[in-house]
Amino acid sequence: MSDVDVRRAIALLRRRVRSGRLMFPFVDETWNPIVGCDLGFCVYCWRRAWARRIKYNMELLWKPTLIRDRLKKRFKPSTVVFTCTMGDIFSWSVLDEWVEEVFEVIRRHPDTLFLVLTKNPARFLRYDLPPNVLAGTTAETDLDEVRGIPYSEISRAPPPRERLRALADLDHPLKFVSVEPILDFSSPEEFAEKIAETGAIAVAVGYDNHRNRLPEPPLDKTVALIAELEKRIPVVVRKSLRRAWFEE
Ligand code: SF4
């Protein structure tokens, strides 16, 4: 992808952010050709509460599945599609063939931007990524132990520091980092620098929305992080910002 295409992607994300849409505010629609996740069993996963509420089959929630019918979908140009929101596309048991089928659909829509967000970004390196993929990872923190809690007790996915390194190793111009739900981190400067080193063109920051009482940072520390990110990254999205639960 050329510089012009990168500038076009940044402009598209900025326009969408101003329009104040939900989820990530630049997203126009979601698309779930692969559902389920056996990657993280994260303590804060909103899908668990959602599944309980609607009495969804819990086994299916954690079992990655390709829904082939959804590969027939068509997408409008100049929109942003958030891909595989109901799981993680790079779950351990998702087959490479499934991912290739999803990427083939993405290639057929070169004027649409597809956000692919994962907690296992090392797997991006296995594929010839379509140029219109916004390759993203979640990094809730840059610490292995957060306020006395080992990160492995929060999620079994590869740890965030590894994810940031893997995204930095990816040779692709369109990258994204989600700092959500934010957990306490080293320092605003250090964490912002690690995120910038990935080459991300956009970052989103937000607190947990589901009262999980996570080991999160105080609000002033998060505000300082956002200020540092704004010095380094073209698009910075503020999501749910509030005082930490222990500040109330
Ligand atoms: S990796 Fe994502 S989808 Fe999987 S359990 Fe964690 S939050 Fe849920």
Side-chain angles (χ1 to χ4, degrees):
M1 185 170 270
S2 68
D3 278 359
V4 177
D5 293 328
V6 173
R7 282 207 298 273
R8 260 179 44 203
I10 291 171
L12 177 63
L13 295 175
R14 283 190 174 140
R15 262 201 322 276
R16 287 292 183 271
V17 169
R18 278 201 296 270
S19 73
R21 287 160 202 258
L22 294 174
M23 192 166 293
F24 290 115
F26 48 74
V27 165
D28 291 284
E29 63 177 312
T30 57
W31 174 46
N32 281 287
I34 296 172
V35 296
C37 174
D38 62 9
L39 187 67
F41 300 97
C42 311
V43 294
Y44 58 71
C45 184
W46 63 272
R47 294 163 59 251
R48 190 182 285 115
W50 165 84
R52 273 197 210 107
R53 206 169 49 244
I54 68 159
K55 298 195 170 38
Y56 189 78
N57 181 332
M58 283 291 182
E59 208 175 306
L60 282 181
L61 190 70
W62 307 119
K63 183 176 167 223
T65 311
L66 171 69
I67 305 177
R68 274 226 162 67
D69 249 18
R70 296 186 179 172
L71 297 172
K72 297 177 192 152
K73 193 165 163 45
R74 298 279 176 269
F75 300 96
K76 290 188 195 147
S78 300
T79 57
V80 182
V81 177
F82 189 178
T83 308
C84 300
T85 59
M86 294 304 293
D88 194 301
I89 188 171
F90 294 151
S91 280
W92 305 122
S93 55
V94 167
L95 303 178
D96 285 335
E97 298 90 89
W98 298 357
V99 176
E100 293 291 5
E101 285 187 63
V102 171
F103 286 171
E104 202 37 56
V105 177
I106 292 178
R107 274 190 203 93
R108 289 205 298 270
H109 296 84
D111 296 321
T112 305
L113 190 60
F114 290 83
L115 169 60
V116 177
L117 184 65
T118 178
K119 287 197 177 78
N120 187 14
R123 205 163 148 185
F124 277 126
L125 280 79
R126 282 200 216 166
Y127 310 98
D128 182 17
L129 273 191
N132 53 327
V133 162
L134 179 59
T137 196
T138 300
E140 315 93 308
T141 177
D142 58 345
L143 300 174
D144 296 330
E145 185 176 302
V146 192
R147 292 182 171 259
I149 302 174
Y151 182 80
S152 55
E153 288 181 15
I154 296 169
S155 169
R156 292 189 228 159
R161 285 197 311 147
E162 271 180 32
R163 295 178 212 154
L164 290 172
R165 265 199 306 271
L167 197 65
D169 287 345
L170 178 68
D171 183 17
H172 183 75
L174 304 182
K175 303 192 213 174
F176 171 71
V177 175
S178 168
V179 186
E180 190 184 20
I182 192 166
L183 304 178
D184 204 3
F185 49 89
S186 54
S187 75
E189 297 78 9
E190 203 180 316
F191 192 19
E193 198 48 42
K194 284 179 195 152
I195 292 170
E197 280 168 6
T198 64
I201 60 164
V203 59
V205 181
Y207 280 77
D208 170 47
N209 285 319
H210 302 283
R211 300 173 190 230
N212 286 305
R213 293 171 82 90
L214 299 171
E216 51 196 29
L219 181 58
D220 58 352
K221 192 172 174 186
T222 301
V223 170
L225 171 68
I226 290 171
E228 292 299 324
L229 289 168
E230 283 172 339
K231 292 179 198 166
R232 295 166 171 87
I233 298 194
V235 182
V236 179
V237 180
R238 294 159 186 251
K239 296 201 60 197
S240 304
L241 293 183
R242 56 160 172 78
R243 289 188 184 286
W245 58 267
F246 54 81
E247 292 182 295
E248 284 163 0

